[in-house]
Structure formats: structure tokens, C-alpha cells
Amino acid sequence: MKQTLTFTVSFTVDPFLAFAPAVLPHAVVGVEYPATSIGTVTGGAGPYVFNATVLPNGMTLSTDGLLSGTPTSEGSTDIAGTITDSGTP
Amino acid sequence: MKQVLNFSIPFVVGPANNGLSFDDSSLAPIGYEDLCKLPTGTVYNVKNYGAKGDGIVDDTPAVKQALAAIKASNATGILYFPTGTYNLCPQLPQDATPWGDVVFNLAGFPMKVVFIGDGPSKTILKGFMPGLKDPKTTWKTLTTDGSEPSIERFIMFQAITSPNTPAGGFQIRSMTVDGQAGYTGNFLSGGDSTTGDGWDWFHKGVRIDGSSQVDDVLIFNSQIINFRGEIVYSGGTAAKFVGLFLSKTDSSNASCISCSTDMLIHSSDVGQDVGVYNGTENFCITAQQKMVCINSRFSGKAQGLVYIGVDGASCLIDNCDITNSGRGILFSETAHNVTVRNSRFLNNTAQAMIDSVLGLYPQGTGFSNFLIENNTFIKTGYSYLCQGYGGGYDWPGFTLRNNTVTSGALIGGSFLGTFTNFNIDGNILGDKAISTGDWAGNVALWTNNVRLPGSFIGNHEKFDEFSPTPTAIFAPISDLTFLNDNRSSPIQNAEIDSTKLHYYPVGFTTKFKIGKTNWVLKANPAWNNFSADVPVTNTTTIRFNANKLFELV
């Protein structure tokens, strides 16, 4: 016998995670760099976690995306890393 | 679904001090090291923001970005311009203000901003309007299509504050700021709208004003030139302090420095003899401010210096050169606590110093406490001239001491008010110098009843009475008093104001010369001991006697 079952499943489509980087003021060797947001995250599910893989010497990036510290060497570089949202696996 | 995004952002770490290796603080005059010290703050190198400094491209957007970074930091910022020529121009419409188009609008900067270069011969901030070079150029030729240019002239640095929004002040150090408009000697207020010639209100080097205070403004080891409005203007009581050290200003069709603030000018050249209107003027009329000028040079077609100071304000001119001006120093309306010392006045065509009441400011409360000593006056007219309009004004405290005059007169004018502590002492009259001129006040001729060496033997004090009143008050101030015309007949009485007898030293003598013959010296015990009225003839002579009354000789 053909049977028909009605079901309801809860399903959420998170918006695509996006990042708009800030234009960061230049830092100066030996001068404390005030905590500065490196950009704005949209989409996905907040909160977001920043994880830096490349940073200038002497500087740190907090998990909420604030760059700070006192650089110890001059030069041009990229600040690189990942941003992870809070969506369930 | 968990999302992961990679990011990569370009980032620059500049060298320590961002390449600023020149600390010009070492140039500060002894005793002013703290005032002139380069503030501590982050250095922002404009070249890190894309400025070229090649004198070709417009560097304004790049420099503005660096300035915005200072504002975002909310802390003292040092905007460094490495050696080069930076073309700068207001960006419209955002840089338009009711007071003109502005390159650096510092009204919204609560922090101190320092503009610094590598030296006035190395770093040049130049107005990017090449057509302004030629005073005969019409504005229409500044654009290639013949249309009106969008920007005619500009303010390079401006801080006009709003209520409850003070500005942190700024410094201009070790650079040249070039307004790109040559001096033409046209002082027409407002300028010529066709050619741009004249005194241009909207073309200034520095402009400070507004209802909230602007912290210290310092111009240090710099040149600010080629503006047709004021080089530095500070209105009201907005500026807390304006300092000019080791700097030069010229080429203004207006006054170079025009302020109403505490002001200190040290080791600077204001006017540079090009014929600016006033070299420096300071109107201390709304607060008890101070003007101090040390080791500096001033010149101006009208005046080298102008000072107005309400009681409680003060003025010190020390070891300065005031040269090639119409008048060296004009004390206008009111001035108190003035010291002029160890200075040199040369080739000022009218006077070295003059006081004058024109009724321009109701705040005026007369003159007092002047000390003028150890100065040199050469080919500069009267060293000091009192204008003394009308009934004159009181003069408590005037000392003219130990000065040297060559080719000029020590003092002149009309000291008609009440004066006390009036000292003229120890002055040296050199070649072609006299103590006072023909149009002379009565005071200068005498010190302790002795005529000053070299003093002028006056021709006459001419007195014309054109009124129909039967009595005329006259004031003999020289050896020969000329009673000229009169309209009252048959007798015209001549009297001396008895309240002015204290002007005269015992022994003061004057003869009379008359025009019409109906003059009579009225017998009046208030000022003479005559037994009867004295018809005046060309031989009549009177003398101030020991009883402090005039007597016939």
C-alpha cells in the first residue's frame, strides 16, 4: 500500500561569509599601534573568530579582529589568516 | 554550515619616526627650548600615503589621507613632508567654507597636528594655482577652456572653531608655505575681483577664529610667503597663543601678521622690506593679552608694528629692527605697560613711534606706563610723537631715556592731557638731531627747567581763532607764539587755561607775534599777575615765574 508521510524539517541557509578589509594606517617601528579593526565581516553566523597566520613582528591580532602591538622591524607585508563563523558543522 | 574565509591585507611598517631624522628643536633660541620642542607623537610620512613631492602632480589627496590618519588616531600627529615640492589645492566641494576654500581645515582636530619638513629650502608646500603668479593675469585664464576657475584662492591652514569644539592647535615647522601670489603693493581691501589683485580676504596662510579656543599655534623655522591676504590671521580670542620663531613672512598685500592674542615673535623677519601693509598688528582689545617681539625685524608700508592693548595687556619690543616703514610703531587707541628697548629704528618716513586715538574701538582707555630706553633712531622722523587730539589724553608714566637720535627729532606732538611721571632723560642727540620740532609739545623742550641740549628754538606756535567768541584759549609751547587771525572785534581776549599751568617749567618764556592787532592778554589771577589787560604787540613777552603764574617781561 502506498503510504504518504508528511514531514517538516528545520533548515537555515546562512548567507555567504564575506570580509571587507579596512585601509590600515601605517605603523611605525617602535611606536605602539592602537588597536584597530582590520575590517568588517558580513554573512555567515556570528560571532566570527579571526586567526592570523602572517603578522608583522611585534604585532598581534585578537580573535575579534583587532590589530595591535609595537612593530619591531620595518617593511611591507601582508597580514593574512582566516575568519571562521559560528555555523554548525 | 561552518564557513571559513581566508583574508590577506597589505600592511606597511615604516621606519622609526617614519624617516623623520631632522629634529629642528635644536634650533630653538636659548630660553625657549620647551616652547619650541617638537611634540611627541606618531610620525606620518606623506609619501607613505602616495604623495610625490615632485612639484608636478597634485599631492592633496595623498596628504589629506595622512591627515585623516592623524584624526583617526585621536592623538598628537606629526605630518612629515620629506624634501620636495608638494602641490596642494582645496578639494571642492568638501573643502569650501564660508571663509574661503581651505587646504588644511583643522577645526575638527582636537589633537595637536605638526606639519614638519626638512627645512624651508628643502620642503615647500605650494598652492597649486600657477595662474596666481602674475598679478595681471585674469582669473579666467587660469583654466584652459576660458571658464571661471572653480578655485580662485585659498587658505592653507585654517581653524575656525564652533561652540564647545576646541581645536588642539598646530605647528608649522621647517618648511616653506608658498601661496603663489606675488606682492603687488595694492592694499585695496577685498581685492579686485577681476584680476585677483589687492588685499584678498580669502587668500591667507594661516587663519584662526571661532567661538572655541585653538590651542598653541607655532610657526618655527619656516617661511610663509606669497599670499595676498594676511600671512597669519587670528581673530577674537580664539587662539590661545601664536608664536613665530626663526621664520620669515612677506609678499602680503595685507598685513603679514594680524592677531588678537598672546603673541611672541622671536628671531624672525616680518615684512622683509617688500612693502607689506603692516608688518605685525596685535589688537589686544578683548583680553589682557601680551605681545612680545624679540630679536626680530619688522617693516611695513603703513607701519612696521601696530599695537592696541587694553589696560592689563602689555607690549615688549626688545632688540628689534624696525625699518623702512611709514611709521615704525603705531600705538593705536589704547596702550599700557609698553616697553621698547635696545632696538633700532631706521628709515621710517613719518615717525619711529606715534600714539593716536581715532575712535575705532570703544575699548580704548588711554595710554600709560611707557618705557622707551636704549634705542637708536636714525633717519626716522620723530622718535616719539603724541598725536593728542582735541583736549588730549592723560599720560601717567612716560619715560624716554638713554636713546640716541641721528637725523631726526627726539619727541614731538601735543601732550595736552594731564601727565605724571614724565621723564625725558639721558638721551643723546647726534648729527642733525633735535630734541623736538616746530610742531612741538611743551614738555620735550625742558628737563628741570633747562632746555635740552640741541633742542629746537621754535619759530612759533601758530594760533588762529576763527570763532566769533570773544575769548580764545591758547597754549604757548615755544619761544615765539603767533596769534594770527581772529574774527571777533574790536577786541579778542587771549587766555591760557589755568588747569594746564603745570605743563610749564618755571622760566618758560615766549614772545608774541601777531597777525591782527586786536589781541589782548586778559588780566586773570588764575594764570597771570597782570595788573591790567595787556594789548599784544610784536614785542610782548611773558614768562612763567616762581609763583607759577605768567608775568610780563
Side-chain angles (χ1 to χ4, degrees):
Chain A
M1 182 181 73
K2 182 182 284 288
Q3 295 184 50
T4 300
L5 183 65
T6 301
F7 66 89
T8 300
V9 177
S10 176
F11 184 74
T12 301
V13 178
D14 286 336
F16 192 72
L17 191 62
F19 176 63
V23 177
L24 295 172
H26 295 189
V28 177
V29 169
V31 178
E32 183 179 358
Y33 195 80
T36 304
S37 171
I38 66 168
T40 304
V41 183
T42 57
Y48 313 107
V49 177
F50 288 76
N51 179 41
T53 55
V54 181
L55 280 170
N57 293 334
M59 303 193 75
T60 59
L61 184 69
S62 68
T63 55
D64 53 357
L66 295 176
L67 179 67
S68 62
T70 302
T72 56
S73 58
E74 67 175 281
S76 297
T77 183
D78 284 346
I79 295 172
T82 59
I83 302 166
T84 305
D85 76 348
S86 299
T88 53
Chain B
M1 184 184 74
K2 183 174 286 294
Q3 299 183 60
V4 179
L5 186 67
N6 293 320
F7 69 86
S8 181
I9 306 172
F11 190 69
V12 175
V13 179
N17 285 334
N18 252 325
L20 177 62
S21 58
F22 171 55
D23 184 353
D24 57 6
S25 302
S26 60
L27 301 174
I30 294 172
Y32 297 90
E33 293 86 350
D34 288 344
L35 184 61
C36 297
K37 187 178 181 182
L38 180 64
T40 300
T42 301
V43 177
Y44 298 78
N45 187 328
V46 296
K47 289 199 168 180
N48 288 344
Y49 293 82
K52 300 296 182 188
D54 60 4
I56 299 173
V57 304
D58 183 357
D59 281 324
T60 312
V63 172
K64 286 287 187 69
Q65 193 178 359
L67 190 61
I70 292 178
K71 191 172 187 178
S73 75
N74 201 30
T76 296
I78 299 171
L79 196 61
Y80 172 47
F81 296 76
T83 298
T85 298
Y86 298 85
N87 288 336
L88 298 170
C89 180
Q91 296 176 294
L92 298 181
Q94 66 266 33
D95 288 339
T97 78
W99 309 278
D101 302 331
V102 180
V103 175
F104 297 117
N105 192 339
L106 300 162
F109 286 71
M111 72 293 294
K112 189 170 291 299
V113 180
V114 180
F115 299 82
I116 188 169
D118 284 335
S121 65
K122 295 179 178 177
T123 295
I124 300 167
L125 274 54
K126 182 173 285 188
F128 192 40
M129 281 154 283
L132 285 171
K133 285 179 180 175
D134 179 3
K136 302 303 180 188
T137 301
T138 65
W139 298 114
K140 289 185 178 180
T141 63
L142 300 184
T143 53
T144 55
D145 63 0
S147 62
E148 290 286 353
S150 57
I151 297 170
E152 296 179 344
R153 60 275 214 211
F154 62 96
I155 315 294
M156 187 65 90
F157 303 92
Q158 179 168 290
I160 298 184
T161 56
S162 303
N164 304 314
T165 55
F170 55 94
Q171 299 188 358
I172 302 165
R173 304 178 70 107
S174 296
M175 61 172 56
T176 288
V177 180
D178 187 345
Q180 283 276 68
Y183 164 81
T184 67
N186 181 353
F187 303 118
L188 177 67
S189 181
D192 184 315
S193 60
T194 303
T195 65
D197 192 10
W199 167 16
D200 193 331
W201 303 332
F202 301 101
H203 194 228
K204 300 181 194 293
V206 175
R207 181 169 191 159
I208 306 157
D209 213 328
S211 49
S212 293
Q213 191 163 74
V214 179
D215 206 353
D216 295 356
V217 173
L218 183 69
I219 300 164
F220 184 82
N221 188 38
S222 293
Q223 290 190 96
I224 307 181
I225 56 176
N226 291 326
F227 288 84
R228 294 217 181 113
E230 291 83 350
I231 300 294
V232 179
Y233 172 88
S234 176
T237 55
K240 179 182 177 186
F241 167 80
V242 172
L244 190 74
F245 282 79
L246 297 149
S247 294
K248 297 178 179 178
T249 64
D250 69 11
S251 300
S252 170
N253 280 351
S255 298
C256 270
I257 312 289
S258 181
C259 294
S260 53
T261 181
D262 280 346
M263 184 165 70
L264 172 57
I265 298 177
H266 198 299
S267 304
S268 294
D269 191 337
V270 180
Q272 299 195 85
D273 288 330
V274 303
V276 304
Y277 185 63
N278 289 327
T280 293
E281 53 191 31
N282 199 7
F283 297 171
C284 303
I285 55 176
T286 54
Q288 295 179 343
Q289 296 154 328
K290 297 179 177 64
M291 179 167 95
V292 177
C293 304
I294 299 173
N295 299 348
S296 294
R297 183 164 172 265
F298 300 88
S299 63
K301 191 175 181 65
Q303 281 86 214
L305 284 154
V306 178
Y307 176 73
I308 304 175
V310 296
D311 199 3
S314 64
C315 170
L316 169 64
I317 313 293
D318 190 5
N319 194 31
C320 290
D321 291 277
I322 297 98
T323 61
N324 301 322
S325 300
R327 299 174 183 84
I329 306 176
L330 168 63
F331 298 104
S332 182
E333 313 306 318
T334 181
H336 305 269
N337 311 310
V338 171
T339 300
V340 181
R341 67 188 182 201
N342 309 321
S343 295
R344 296 153 296 280
F345 295 76
L346 173 65
N347 290 335
N348 301 294
T349 54
Q351 304 92 23
M353 285 174 271
I354 182 172
D355 62 66
S356 180
V357 175
L358 300 175
L360 300 177
Y361 299 96
Q363 297 89 342
T365 53
F367 302 89
S368 70
N369 298 323
F370 273 47
L371 172 60
I372 303 169
E373 65 175 356
N374 298 324
N375 302 287
T376 301
F377 302 94
I378 302 173
K379 294 181 180 176
T380 195
Y382 287 93
S383 302
Y384 194 91
L385 187 74
C386 177
Q387 196 122 276
Y389 292 115
Y393 25 83
D394 295 344
W395 252 111
F398 180 91
T399 297
L400 186 61
R401 185 169 63 202
N402 299 338
N403 302 284
T404 300
V405 184
T406 303
S407 297
L410 179 65
I411 191 169
S414 304
F415 292 88
L416 296 177
T418 300
F419 49 86
T420 54
N421 297 322
F422 201 95
N423 304 300
I424 302 174
D425 188 25
N427 300 288
I428 298 172
L429 301 178
D431 185 38
K432 298 177 182 175
I434 56 177
S435 68
T436 188
D438 191 10
W439 185 63
N442 46 38
V443 179
L445 295 170
W446 307 85
T447 296
N448 297 325
N449 307 334
V450 177
R451 182 180 288 280
L452 290 172
S455 63
F456 186 84
I457 306 299
N459 283 330
H460 55 257
E461 193 265 333
K462 185 176 178 179
F463 187 81
D464 292 297
E465 173 57 86
F466 293 109
S467 76
T469 57
T471 299
I473 303 297
F474 74 102
I477 58 173
S478 67
D479 302 274
L480 187 63
T481 300
F482 184 20
L483 302 177
N484 192 21
D485 203 358
N486 64 70
R487 293 181 178 176
S488 183
S489 62
I491 293 174
Q492 181 69 31
N493 294 316
E495 299 243 38
I496 294 175
D497 184 351
S498 61
T499 66
K500 303 293 175 62
L501 292 181
H502 60 281
Y503 288 168
Y504 301 99
V506 172
F508 173 85
T509 302
T510 188
K511 299 175 184 176
F512 286 95
K513 179 181 178 181
I514 56 174
K516 290 192 174 182
T517 58
N518 58 347
W519 287 101
V520 170
L521 298 178
K522 193 72 176 173
N524 181 350
W527 69 271
N528 63 53
N529 65 359
F530 304 161
S531 57
D533 295 351
V534 178
V536 183
T537 71
N538 284 333
T539 61
T540 303
T541 302
I542 59 173
R543 178 174 57 213
F544 197 61
N545 66 22
N547 294 324
K548 306 295 179 68
L549 293 172
F550 278 93
E551 62 185 11
L552 279 172
V553 177

